[in-house]
Amino acid sequence: MLNYFNIKMINYFDNKSVSKDEILKEMVLNMAENSEAIENKDIFYSEILERESVGTTGIGMGVAIPHARTESVKEIVLSIWVLKNPVDFNSLDGEKVKIVILVGAPKGESKKYLELLSSLSRIFRDKKIRNSILESTTRECLIEAIAEIV
């Protein structure tokens, strides 16, 4: 399913009480440090925030999929983080988010980008998958749980 895409970062993040914007900034910085796909982290972060202002990417059930198509990303890349402390993403169901999947894509990759977002939404609606990921208490356990769905 997801093995077609470039999953760069899988992290268990021991966040204290931080905001959605701070989590997104940390994720973008981490993605830029660990991937050559990000050409300009500041523009990418700005476009992620712009997309968030259009409407929530909190899909419910404790999951958010912030995303942006941008000139500052060379290839489709995603980062999956589990947050130790839930963060408010203004999700449709009002539930705070513990699983964040950040997606970046070049402007010209509309079809693949939309396929990925659709797949992620479908995958993370599965309670068994969410629970497997949420039960991960270390980065290593998280990688194993993600490996089972890719």
Side-chain angles (χ1 to χ4, degrees):
M1 276 183 229
L2 295 178
N3 56 355
Y4 178 77
F5 297 99
N6 189 2
I7 301 176
K8 286 295 185 187
M9 280 63 55
I10 298 173
N11 247 339
Y12 180 78
F13 189 57
D14 188 6
N15 61 309
K16 304 304 176 212
S17 51
V18 295
S19 70
K20 170 180 74 169
D21 291 355
E22 290 169 313
I23 293 292
L24 293 173
K25 187 170 193 162
E26 284 289 324
M27 290 185 79
V28 167
L29 290 172
N30 184 264
M31 192 180 269
E33 289 171 1
N34 291 287
S35 171
E36 294 180 17
I38 311 299
E39 290 186 328
N40 187 313
K41 67 182 182 303
D42 297 326
I43 292 173
F44 181 44
Y45 175 64
S46 172
E47 291 180 355
I48 288 291
L49 292 182
E50 185 177 317
R51 169 57 189 87
E52 285 293 318
S53 72
V54 171
T56 184
T57 58
I59 65 169
M61 301 160 290
V63 178
I65 309 174
H67 56 276
R69 279 186 310 130
T70 172
E71 307 265 335
S72 64
V73 174
K74 294 189 285 192
E75 63 182 300
I76 294 177
V77 62
L78 66 133
S79 178
I80 303 170
W81 283 23
V82 173
L83 308 176
K84 182 175 181 182
N85 299 299
V87 172
D88 187 5
F89 264 75
N90 301 316
S91 297
L92 300 173
D93 63 358
E95 191 174 326
K96 288 187 176 183
V97 166
K98 282 194 83 170
I99 301 172
V100 183
I101 305 104
L102 177 64
V103 178
K107 287 273 190 195
E109 292 284 356
S110 295
K111 185 177 182 207
K112 288 180 186 176
Y113 172 71
L114 293 174
E115 287 173 359
L116 175 60
L117 293 177
S118 175
S119 291
L120 289 168
S121 181
R122 195 170 40 257
I123 288 167
F124 285 94
R125 287 193 196 289
D126 184 315
K127 187 175 184 172
K128 183 179 174 187
I129 290 172
R130 286 193 320 274
N131 286 342
S132 171
I133 290 170
L134 289 171
E135 289 168 2
S136 302
T137 55
T138 66
R139 186 174 183 275
E140 292 73 27
C141 291
L142 180 57
I143 290 169
E144 287 178 25
I146 299 293
E148 290 182 23
I149 64 171
V150 297

